[in-house]
Amino acid sequence: MPIRRQFLTVTAAVLAASMLPGLSVAQDAKPVSGGKLTWGVETEPATLNPQLNGQDKTKLLLRNAYESLLARTADGGYVPWLATEYKISEDGKTYTFKLRNDVTFTDGQKLNAQAVVTNFTKLKDAAYSGSVSAGPVSRIEEVKAVDDDTVSFTLKRVYAPFLDYVASLEILSPAAFASSQLKSGGTEIAGTGPFILKRYAKGQEIQFVKNPSYKWAPKNAAHQGPAYLDDVTYRFLPESSVRAGALTSGQVDVIEGISGNDAALFKENADFSYQTALNTGTPYSLFLNVTWGPTQDISVRKALVASIDVEAVLTAVYRGERTRAWGITSPVDPQFYDRSIEKTYGADPKLANRLLDQAGWTTRDVDGFRTKDGKRLTIEVVQAQATVRDQRDVLLQALQAQARQNAGIDLAIVFVDAGTYTDRRKTGQFGSIANSNTPTDAIDIEYHYLPLDKGGTINYSRAAAPELSQWLNEAASTLDNKKRFELYAGLQRFAIVDQAYALPLYEPEDQVAAADYVKGITFRPFKQLPESAYDIWRSE
């Protein structure tokens, strides 16, 4: 494969077209079947079981093999996928889905109502799903097979985001739940997708091969029938510069997760396509623990927020290639994002120092950090190593420098493995956790801001103010989106401005660069993560 050298700017119109389902940069070319593709990806899955994997970046891989009852559309609606239709009862509590009768899992088992029942019944079991069982699945009172092709869900009460939850959950073959690979995922965990997981070499790569029997793509896919490609391999290349070098030298065909420093290599290069899209869900934020350490004090939380000029940090780290975050959800989702919060807080060192003085942090140690009663003002930021991507380590170091320089706050950054991360979350012994998530229809807002004992499975701030439960339960219990917007807007201002539960940093986005012979790359409609390889083909 030749080294890429020439330059050309990809127009905004072409980029916009490339993000729509069924469209690619080269719309006038005729797709060709056959061939192999190699992706260079940033993140290796912590588990290959899509139901247990919370790493949004790895859905790019897993959606090749696993599918859902419905698919999202670009405007936030739904179209049939494994289900052909659905109905909601007049009281809003019963959802009935009619399934396709021609779908088989790649292990040969047939998709039917009982298979769907098995999946959701297992998800309600905490022994299998852990904290997942406390999320939307906990709202289900009963799931039953009405007949072989019909499944119904009866909820305990009206739950507005339920349809989105069903449209996001991947369905596994019933045989998977008896496999020793269930928790880790693997070749024994069959799905219904256009590709079959063939091989996984930990730390190196994962390989998928075409499912020749596939014929049930969603309505908004670019084509029907089997995938074009015969084979797709994803190579785990955690360093952005390594991924960029692998693409420019022809070692891989596509990469994702492109740093601000490397973006120019592809944005103006005629031998590549370059596409980006903002994600939905919760922005990458510093969530501040209100139950442990100095961040128990609201003055300390507000001082930290005021001490950091987020826009300056983002410009320095990402060279203008990332979007500043302000609220509890992404501006991609205007249904729930209230823009009035923008520019209402932060970047005020004078305020930060005044708040800390008032809180009694008036002395400093030899390193310039504030102290009180002989103890340094240290806020420990715990970052799971598995989610260190997108130069987040560099970003945290830049925040650390600003907090120290502007207010004498010691942000102690600690990178931990998966086991330690889980333990720290359980015990609550951390000052801050930095992360982001992409569930839509405000499910992610619930995960982060419902109290821990009421379904807040990702409540890093451990906030438990009664207002949070009240607003979120009211929002989930109405199908009036105007009312839901008002409730989330109130919660957003309370959580971010009034209580400083979190400091939003940037809106996660995905960048995909590909050799010019790679066609059909798209982003998932509405959610805007990179789509699976189903519609991708090679022109050479």
Side-chain angles (χ1 to χ4, degrees):
M1 299 178 187
I3 295 177
R4 315 289 162 182
R5 299 186 189 277
Q6 302 172 21
F7 289 85
L8 176 70
T9 299
V10 179
T11 67
V14 172
L15 287 180
S18 71
M19 294 180 196
L20 295 175
L23 297 179
S24 67
V25 171
Q27 299 177 69
D28 56 346
K30 184 177 180 180
V32 177
S33 293
K36 299 181 179 181
L37 192 81
T38 302
W39 273 76
V41 296
E42 186 172 13
T43 305
E44 181 173 3
T47 171
L48 301 181
N49 181 329
Q51 294 181 349
L52 304 182
N53 187 304
Q55 300 163 284
D56 301 314
K57 294 280 279 188
T58 64
K59 297 297 185 181
L60 162 67
L61 290 65
L62 299 177
R63 275 173 64 89
N64 285 306
Y66 306 101
E67 302 178 313
S68 305
L69 297 181
L70 302 173
R72 297 303 300 265
T73 60
D75 62 0
Y78 305 88
V79 294
W81 197 350
L82 299 181
T84 60
E85 61 181 75
Y86 66 90
K87 295 180 181 179
I88 306 174
S89 63
E90 289 189 9
D91 65 4
K93 294 198 298 182
T94 299
Y95 291 71
T96 303
F97 294 83
K98 195 75 174 177
L99 306 178
R100 293 185 64 129
N101 59 14
D102 60 347
V103 177
T104 55
F105 293 96
T106 55
D107 62 1
Q109 293 206 24
K110 180 179 172 56
L111 172 74
N112 56 26
Q114 189 54 53
V116 175
V117 170
T118 297
N119 274 258
F120 283 87
T121 300
K122 293 293 185 181
L123 281 162
K124 289 175 69 68
D125 181 1
Y128 163 57
S129 59
S131 62
V132 176
S133 63
V137 73
S138 67
R139 311 276 187 158
I140 300 173
E141 181 71 37
E142 180 185 35
V143 54
K144 66 179 181 179
V146 178
D147 57 43
D148 200 44
D149 299 324
T150 310
V151 61
S152 72
F153 300 85
T154 300
L155 309 184
K156 297 174 183 177
R157 59 189 67 86
V158 172
Y159 182 58
F162 184 71
L163 207 57
D164 181 80
Y165 172 64
V166 171
S168 300
L169 184 77
E170 300 87 350
I171 304 298
L172 309 182
S173 167
F177 297 100
S179 169
S180 61
Q181 293 184 349
L182 180 60
K183 290 294 185 76
S184 64
T187 56
E188 295 179 6
I189 311 303
T192 60
F195 291 92
I196 303 168
L197 174 57
K198 179 180 180 180
R199 183 178 62 88
Y200 172 50
K202 187 174 178 60
Q204 299 178 43
E205 62 186 29
I206 185 170
Q207 180 187 18
F208 296 86
V209 295
K210 180 190 293 189
N211 175 4
S213 301
Y214 188 76
K215 56 180 180 179
W216 42 82
K219 179 181 177 181
N220 57 347
H223 80 288
Q224 297 294 313
Y228 295 124
L229 296 167
D230 294 328
D231 183 298
V232 184
T233 298
Y234 297 86
R235 291 178 56 193
F236 307 127
L237 305 174
E239 294 295 329
S240 175
S241 59
V242 173
R243 291 192 301 278
L247 180 56
T248 57
S249 64
Q251 297 175 60
V252 300
D253 307 300
V254 190
I255 62 172
E256 56 83 33
I258 300 158
S259 73
N261 290 333
D262 294 331
L265 294 173
F266 309 107
K267 291 175 70 175
E268 301 177 356
N269 193 322
D271 288 324
F272 300 98
S273 63
Y274 180 79
Q275 305 178 49
T276 67
L278 288 180
N279 297 160
T280 53
T282 303
Y284 184 67
S285 309
L286 280 183
F287 293 92
L288 306 176
N289 190 346
V290 303
T291 66
W292 193 80
T295 50
Q296 294 177 83
D297 186 341
I298 188 174
S299 294
V300 172
R301 300 198 301 272
K302 287 190 170 185
L304 175 62
V305 170
S307 72
I308 295 174
D309 185 341
V310 174
E311 292 194 41
V313 169
L314 294 179
T315 298
V317 174
Y318 297 108
R319 304 293 191 267
E321 294 292 331
R322 298 295 181 271
T323 301
R324 168 77 160 95
W326 292 97
I328 58 176
T329 191
S330 169
V332 168
D333 189 0
Q335 187 176 17
F336 301 127
Y337 178 69
D338 181 6
R339 291 187 178 275
S340 70
I341 196 174
E342 295 179 2
K343 302 185 184 303
T344 60
Y345 64 88
D348 190 346
K350 289 184 178 179
L351 173 61
N353 284 283
R354 184 167 68 250
L355 287 169
L356 293 177
D357 287 341
Q358 293 171 354
W361 297 92
T362 54
T363 56
R364 298 194 182 230
D365 61 20
V366 294
D367 295 317
F369 293 112
R370 286 179 176 264
T371 62
K372 181 169 70 173
D373 300 329
K375 295 182 178 180
R376 177 181 286 186
L377 178 48
T378 298
I379 300 172
E380 188 180 51
V381 180
V382 175
Q383 172 76 65
Q385 192 66 49
T387 61
V388 178
R389 58 176 176 85
D390 201 16
Q391 295 179 279
R392 289 177 174 180
D393 51 346
V394 180
L395 173 60
L396 291 177
Q397 290 165 10
L399 300 179
Q400 183 184 55
Q402 278 217 349
R404 177 178 184 175
Q405 178 180 341
N406 293 338
I409 299 172
D410 177 22
L411 281 186
I413 305 168
V414 181
F415 298 100
V416 299
D417 59 28
T420 303
Y421 180 70
T422 298
D423 289 342
R424 296 294 292 273
R425 283 185 60 186
K426 284 182 178 179
T427 61
Q429 295 183 2
F430 59 86
S432 172
I433 283 180
N435 212 340
S436 63
N437 296 82
T438 65
T440 53
D441 201 18
I443 290 177
D444 211 37
I445 300 176
E446 292 185 355
Y447 284 160
H448 284 86
Y449 293 101
L450 273 174
L452 290 173
D453 61 348
K454 300 185 187 309
T457 57
I458 316 179
N459 187 339
Y460 298 125
S461 69
R462 305 180 82 82
E467 294 93 333
L468 298 172
S469 295
Q470 178 182 340
W471 282 322
L472 287 167
N473 287 333
E474 284 186 29
S477 299
T478 178
L479 300 180
D480 182 342
N481 280 336
K482 183 176 183 295
K483 178 64 173 176
R484 293 180 75 195
F485 175 87
E486 293 171 353
L487 290 163
Y488 293 131
L491 184 148
Q492 176 173 261
R493 185 163 291 273
F494 176 81
I496 303 301
V497 179
D498 298 343
Q499 296 297 317
Y501 292 148
L503 172 59
L505 298 171
Y506 72 93
E507 300 294 345
E509 67 177 60
D510 281 280
Q511 314 85 29
V512 178
D516 57 0
Y517 53 79
V518 179
K519 311 298 182 183
I521 295 174
T522 59
F523 288 83
R524 290 173 63 178
F526 192 67
K527 199 162 188 176
Q528 303 193 111
L529 297 169
E531 189 53 281
S532 74
Y534 173 62
D535 284 323
I536 296 177
W537 54 281
R538 298 175 63 115
S539 64
E540 64 170 36

